[in-house]
Amino acid sequence: MKILVTGGAGFIGSHTCVELMNAGHEVVVIDNLCNSSEKSMERVKEITGKDLAFYKGDILDRDCLNTIFTEHKIDAVIHFAGLKAVGESVYKPWEYYNNNITGTLTLTDVMRAHDVKNLIFSSSATVYGDPAEIPITENCPKGKCTNPYGWTKSMLEQILTDLHTADNSWNVILLRYFNPIGAHPTGLMGEDPNGIPNNLMPYITQVAIGKLPELGIFGNDYDTPDGTCIRDYIHVCDLATGHVAALKKIEEKAGLCIYNLGTGVGYSVLDVVNNFMEATGVNVAYSMKPRREGDVPQCYSSAQKAKEELGWEAKYGIKEMCRDSWNWQTKNPNGYKD
């Protein structure tokens, strides 16, 4: 199949391009590079030994999208493109709603104009809010989101569901990610945040390499074994293979499907820090900070449905996630800017 990957130069997108190409698919990427680097595309080619088509462009740009669909016979779209910083979304709600929602509406409008109705959407476990059940199954009711970023994911799930309800020739798969970390085992690709990292693992690796003085852990008085928040961390390469498995479901004319992509195992923040130090032998300085507004005590998945229906399950453990993150950081201390 020929797959358009929006946001394909980003952390999850670039790793997914590798897995798609290794599985024999052709890849076309659009990315505006606002939070990514075109160098990741060179690394994808280096790892796979294959070429891809890259367009520097924005999903809000209808003309650019039309050009892509005219120049390529696209079979399906994997849609990653979107702003994703939880904290920033609180201060820039208009930008997040415009980019994530208007961009997706533009993308799907162009798709249907070119009769391409196969879509895999990059959603998030944030749609569960403070989850009603642990572990979280796909039957868990969606909760009240705590930030505009989360609301964009929740709203887009509803929009895409309504799109399929109105026209069941669409095949839409909503993939709810938990917490992707790790990096490609080669060390050629990984997470490359702009400025101070918003996510735990790149913060840990930047403290470990000396770029940041210490890790702040927000809250140690939650109702968890060590008092710190528990999350479901998944290796980015496992997450990427989940999209390849979802494409097979698309080929079966799946209709509308929802899957959690996680490991089914919860690790606390301190668990991750301690596993990182054990896996790498490098000390990570940290201190306890007050709780952060909007954090829920526990959030981890049941990934049983993806195993049963997609034949997919996570293969990497927490030590391997830590090892590969550190391998990427040490080989690329300034990310793709080296």
Side-chain angles (χ1 to χ4, degrees):
M1 297 174 76
K2 182 171 276 194
I3 314 301
L4 174 62
V5 183
T6 73
F11 175 45
I12 304 171
S14 58
H15 286 79
T16 300
C17 288
V18 167
E19 298 302 332
L20 289 168
M21 291 161 71
N22 283 342
H25 298 290
E26 292 181 73
V27 170
V28 180
V29 171
I30 179 173
D31 199 302
N32 67 6
L33 303 180
C34 76
N35 192 32
S36 58
S37 171
E38 194 172 345
K39 286 184 180 177
S40 68
M41 299 288 87
E42 297 304 318
R43 304 289 177 89
V44 169
K45 295 175 189 177
E46 185 177 345
I47 290 167
T48 63
K50 298 177 181 179
D51 203 5
L52 56 76
F54 175 76
Y55 291 79
K56 183 180 178 182
D58 199 297
I59 57 168
L60 287 160
D61 185 343
R62 186 179 296 268
D63 290 340
C64 181
L65 290 173
N66 274 314
T67 296
I68 292 170
F69 281 90
T70 300
E71 293 181 352
H72 300 273
K73 179 66 177 71
I74 302 295
D75 296 301
V77 176
I78 300 180
H79 180 29
F80 295 107
L83 298 173
K84 62 172 187 171
V86 169
E88 182 184 61
S89 76
V90 176
Y91 300 104
K92 296 183 175 180
W94 187 91
E95 286 80 1
Y96 271 68
Y97 287 119
N98 183 56
N99 185 85
N100 294 7
I101 294 180
T102 308
T104 303
L105 289 172
T106 304
L107 172 67
T108 50
D109 193 31
V110 172
M111 286 176 67
R112 66 181 182 176
H114 291 268
D115 198 31
V116 179
K117 296 183 177 180
N118 297 318
L119 178 66
I120 296 172
F121 176 60
S122 163
S123 192
S124 167
T126 58
V127 302
Y128 293 115
D130 191 350
E133 60 181 39
I134 295 288
I136 302 167
T137 70
E138 290 84 352
N139 293 325
C140 179
K142 288 167 70 171
K144 182 180 180 182
C145 296
T146 56
N147 54 76
Y149 162 74
W151 278 120
T152 67
K153 293 296 188 185
S154 186
M155 290 174 181
L156 283 169
E157 282 199 359
Q158 187 62 54
I159 288 167
L160 295 173
T161 299
D162 292 343
L163 190 65
H164 170 263
T165 300
D167 177 1
N168 63 15
S169 65
W170 278 87
N171 295 295
V172 176
I173 296 185
L174 309 176
L175 296 181
R176 293 172 176 169
Y177 309 160
F178 280 70
N179 295 69
I181 59 174
H184 197 271
T186 60
L188 288 169
M189 296 194 316
E191 191 167 6
D192 183 21
N194 288 331
I196 303 296
N198 290 299
N199 296 330
L200 177 62
M201 185 55 75
Y203 210 109
I204 288 173
T205 61
Q206 289 194 19
V207 170
I209 207 167
K211 292 183 75 173
L212 294 171
E214 67 172 15
L215 170 71
I217 297 177
F218 298 100
N220 63 345
D221 57 351
Y222 287 99
D223 185 17
T224 61
D226 63 22
T228 65
C229 289
I230 290 175
R231 297 290 182 267
D232 187 339
Y233 296 94
I234 177 171
H235 197 293
V236 66
C237 290
D238 279 331
L239 191 59
T241 61
H243 294 77
V244 180
L247 265 183
K248 293 178 183 174
K249 193 72 174 176
I250 287 271
E251 289 183 276
E252 297 170 10
K253 304 299 181 188
L256 177 75
C257 299
I258 301 172
Y259 298 102
N260 289 335
L261 293 186
T263 64
V265 179
Y267 290 98
S268 74
V269 177
L270 278 177
D271 283 334
V272 176
V273 172
N274 291 329
N275 272 286
F276 179 87
M277 292 193 288
E278 288 175 22
T280 64
V282 180
N283 189 56
V284 175
Y286 64 86
S287 63
M288 296 300 175
K289 308 287 185 185
R291 288 187 182 192
R292 218 169 27 181
E293 188 176 351
D295 278 345
V296 298
Q298 297 190 67
C299 182
Y300 62 92
S301 71
S302 165
Q304 191 63 27
K305 184 180 177 186
K307 181 178 180 180
E308 292 173 358
E309 296 188 14
L310 301 180
W312 172 90
E313 61 182 326
K315 294 181 172 59
Y316 292 96
I318 189 69
K319 288 278 198 311
E320 292 157 310
M321 300 181 212
C322 294
R323 176 202 66 201
D324 290 343
S325 296
W326 183 235
N327 185 37
W328 155 255
Q329 180 72 75
T330 52
K331 288 181 176 177
N332 306 269
N334 298 307
Y336 292 113
K337 299 170 192 69
D338 284 346

